Amino acid sequence: MTSVPFELSPFDLELTTATEAPAEATADALVLGAWQVDGKAELAAADLPAEATEALAAALTTLKATGAVDSTTVLAGAPGVSATLVVVAGLGKQADATTDRLRRAAGAAVRATAGATRVVLALPATDATGTVAAAEGAVLGAYADTRFKSSVEATDEVEAEAPEVRSIAVVPAGDSAEVETGLQRALVLGRQMAYARDLVNTPANFLYPESFAASVTERAPQGVEVEVIDDAQLESMGAGAIHGVGKGSARGPRIAVLRYRPAGAQKHVAMVGKGITFDTGGLSLKPPQGMTTMKCDMGGAAAVAGAVFAAAELGVQTAVTGILCLAENMPSRDAQRPGDVVTALNGLTVEVLNTDAEGRLAMCDGLVLATREKPDLVLDIATLTGAAVMALGDRTAGVVANDDALRERVVGLAERTGEPLVGLPIPEEVHEGLVSPVADLRNIIGYGKPAGMQTAAAYLMRFVGSTQGEDHVTGDAQQLPWAHIDIAGPAFHEGSPWGYTPAGGTGSGLRTLLAAVEDVPLA
């Protein structure tokens, strides 16, 4: 078995409900909320002594705190409060309050706790849903990746800001049993989000197809079986599309198949993730500035791995198949060329006009494998197109589907988890543009053509088979329900952290995939 050449960030958080009043809690930091009222911060109710409330309100006024979303104000304690630090997190206007703003406030506050190890959250949640959302945000905000630093010193500006929280207690609201179940889920979610983020952040000289497959094999929880298909097997079985992508690299491609099969499962969801561990563009070479973040081009596969593992840890009663399409897209004398024709696993031939449109080539063989598992639903997720970023920005993902109702249900699931997602149609003419004069399909319509995200999705859709598990949809057969999520924008954050989102890998899409497994979005 291949050894894994990288470590993972430690995840040893304790997450509980607070048993003491906020002012009396034994903690390094107490987190409170503030609403934005006429541009100024107004402390949210938190069951504090009057002297503490008055002192905190005066301090917020003096410091000109605004209560804006994602803002934090760190104070050196307050009269009558046991905690050494008080962190006041902005919630925005109360009329615009959402559960995700509680998540964001908790995440931002935890990151601002400056060396605190035990934190108590007393944000203004009114029910179990809000309590759990705050807990999720705190767990996600506690993530820090310092694995590749030679040392962590107080003088290092980046590392000085890394949270050191090890214990989080949440002042609960709502049904206690619902809160307890939600906290357990939040901890599992946080652990798998940390794993996905670590994978995305791992440099490509450590994370490559073979080591990625070895990591998920080593990491798989009880109940998940992992099958790894190596390059020679891919070629012999006819998976020519992903094999072609990986030809230019000395590190051959892999497909890792993760299977979770709980007893009595009534539904089966297959998820396919793009796992390009580094993307130079191949012979259609990217400019240097276009490569700087391309270690993140496997964010879809990371999200799938984390979602499958979380489902298993939580004992979700849905069968799940995760298919990770892993390759490194490099130029070399062996690399595929623009104009080459490859044969995908389902027998369709593809003219490769652009070797930098490699993600869809790697994933199409994975979609054929997903079909053969005979699921009830297929979801795929990828950092696929720059067009998605141009249309939706850096924080929002896009989704298309072969059924409008399914697409909107996936959007609804994402909204519930706090992941911004916008549904888009696939125009009919996009399908027509993928016909090649020399092969069955071509991997792009042309350079600079519009609807780039939908073009990639339309290509992938051709590899989703029938509900009977057949590779092709013929006669009266029905195509499997399918949705494609493009996370090219939100998968990797190059700016300063915000809310519970760190710099670097974000784990984008994992929460939506897990929600789709817990509540399968089929009519």
Side-chain angles (χ1 to χ4, degrees), residues 234-273:
L234 290 170
E235 185 176 16
S236 65
M237 70 193 286
I242 189 171
H243 174 72
V245 172
K247 282 175 61 178
S249 175
R251 293 162 167 163
R254 301 285 189 275
I255 288 182
V257 183
L258 319 179
R259 295 184 178 92
Y260 168 61
R261 299 290 186 270
Q266 299 298 307
K267 295 288 185 182
H268 178 189
V269 176
M271 302 184 291
V272 179

Side-chain angles (χ1 to χ4, degrees), residues 179-262:
V179 168
E180 184 60 34
T181 299
L183 295 191
Q184 292 175 7
R185 182 186 183 279
L187 204 56
V188 170
L189 179 65
R191 178 164 43 249
Q192 298 307 337
M193 284 283 285
Y195 179 52
R197 288 169 169 179
D198 273 1
L199 289 174
V200 173
N201 287 332
T202 301
N205 57 326
F206 292 91
L207 185 76
Y208 39 88
E210 185 179 12
S211 66
F212 196 139
S215 177
V216 295
T217 301
E218 180 179 280
R219 173 94 175 176
Q222 185 176 359
V224 176
E225 295 182 357
V226 180
E227 175 190 4
V228 178
I229 307 171
D230 66 22
D231 189 19
Q233 292 171 300
L234 290 170
E235 185 176 16
S236 65
M237 70 193 286
I242 189 171
H243 174 72
V245 172
K247 282 175 61 178
S249 175
R251 293 162 167 163
R254 301 285 189 275
I255 288 182
V257 183
L258 319 179
R259 295 184 178 92
Y260 168 61
R261 299 290 186 270

Side-chain angles (χ1 to χ4, degrees), residues 33 39 66-67 161 193 202 229 233 253 273 317 358 360 398 409 424:
T66 65
E161 295 178 355
M193 284 283 285
T202 301
I229 307 171
Q233 292 171 300
Q317 288 301 294
E358 84 299 329
R360 66 201 71 179
R409 284 193 289 270
L424 296 167

